[in-house]
Amino acid sequence: MTLPPLHLLIGSYTATGGGNATGISIVDGDVVSTVAVLDDPSFLAVDGDRVYAVSETVDGGVHAFRRTGSALEHLWDAPAGGDAPCHVRVDPSGALVVTNYGSGTVTAVSLVAAEAYGVPGGVGHGGAAAGGLVHGVGGHGAGVSAALPDAALATEALPDATGPDEERQEGPHAHQSIATPDGTVLVADLGGDALHEFRIEADAGSVSIEPLRVHRLTPGAGPRHMAWVSGSVGGELSGDSGGDLGGDLVVAGELDGRVYRLRRDESGTFREVCATPVFDGPGVPSLLSHIEVDERGLVTVAVRGRDQIVVLDTADDGLRVVGAASAGGAWPRHFARVPGYLLVANQNSDAVAVLPVGDDGVPGEAVGQIAVGSPTCVIPLG
């Protein structure tokens, strides 16, 4: 089978986090190269020609680039406001939202303010595709970063909470954020079995985060990633497709291996409509990671431990498992869709698997492998 031409950005773990990459990679057809050298860029977001990357380290950071073709130009850095930032997203409020797993905090960066203070990188910002140089960040390679003013950042700590899993739920762990059709932001707290709702406002001079309410989930669920089932308010989520805004919300329970379907009630609280385990019976743990919903209402979720991709149907207000298939590698941490294919970042296989997708939404056997060290995030580029 002839693969389509692929143009992708790949986030990965580097030696700092026990991985095998050197930074952000770009895939341009058959060529894979490093375009930014930085520690543990485990999650990326793309908005127009801007690329944002977390550095999932202790006292982590977030880094901004301008993309031109297959090159990245370093613009600015900012503190993540906590330890081990694992997700970044451009919010409709005009803020960059960063969730910090280790410290259980969420940070918003005013992008208008950041752009005003951003300083383009110096020597080496042309990237691997321009003269063979690779731009570096945080002491790696060349480049100049801007110190953002304090007013351009705001950080909020999730309330202290624990869950039944003593190893994973000893405190709050902010894992992902998602925009709502109400103009608010939901943050999944894996440690506290809750979704925290905030209002974020950003302008050229300041940014703020206002806690609104807490939505409780089943104890031990360990909510990781979320996606909207249906509706069309505000369009696709930049850099982290979770379905269109609106309708019901599906949540991947990392710790209990279940997918949850939630719906707002008249009080504004998200209530469980139904929940379905992706696998029944004994066996290795089903550690859910990324989740997405397509235009037909089919839910796709990656399952680490079992190294599977599972597809569920949301018809009739339910969650019915349609089928499961091999992820094409070990430890599927993230995936993305391109027409006809699912691209799975298999962290422990040092490769992104290319899986053809059938009419029922269930992937087939891998038809290609893109060699990338410890991939954790895959973003198709237009």
Side-chain angles (χ1 to χ4, degrees), residues 13-14 87 119 278 281 283 303 344 356 376:
Y13 280 127
T14 64
H87 188 267
V119 176
V278 294
V303 186
V344 184
T376 57

Side-chain angles (χ1 to χ4, degrees), residues 8 74 76 92 122 140 186 202 291 346:
L8 316 168
H74 182 207
W76 51 263
H140 299 288
L186 291 173
I291 190 168
N346 288 307

Side-chain angles (χ1 to χ4, degrees), residues 36-88:
V37 178
L38 69 158
D39 291 332
D40 293 338
S42 64
F43 208 89
L44 313 174
V46 175
D47 186 42
D49 67 348
R50 294 301 193 260
V51 176
Y52 305 100
V54 300
S55 184
E56 191 178 337
T57 60
V58 176
D59 295 327
V62 61
H63 311 282
F65 302 86
R66 178 188 290 115
R67 181 175 67 89
T68 304
S70 295
L72 293 184
E73 177 187 16
H74 182 207
L75 298 178
W76 51 263
D77 303 323
D83 297 338
C86 61
H87 188 267
V88 61

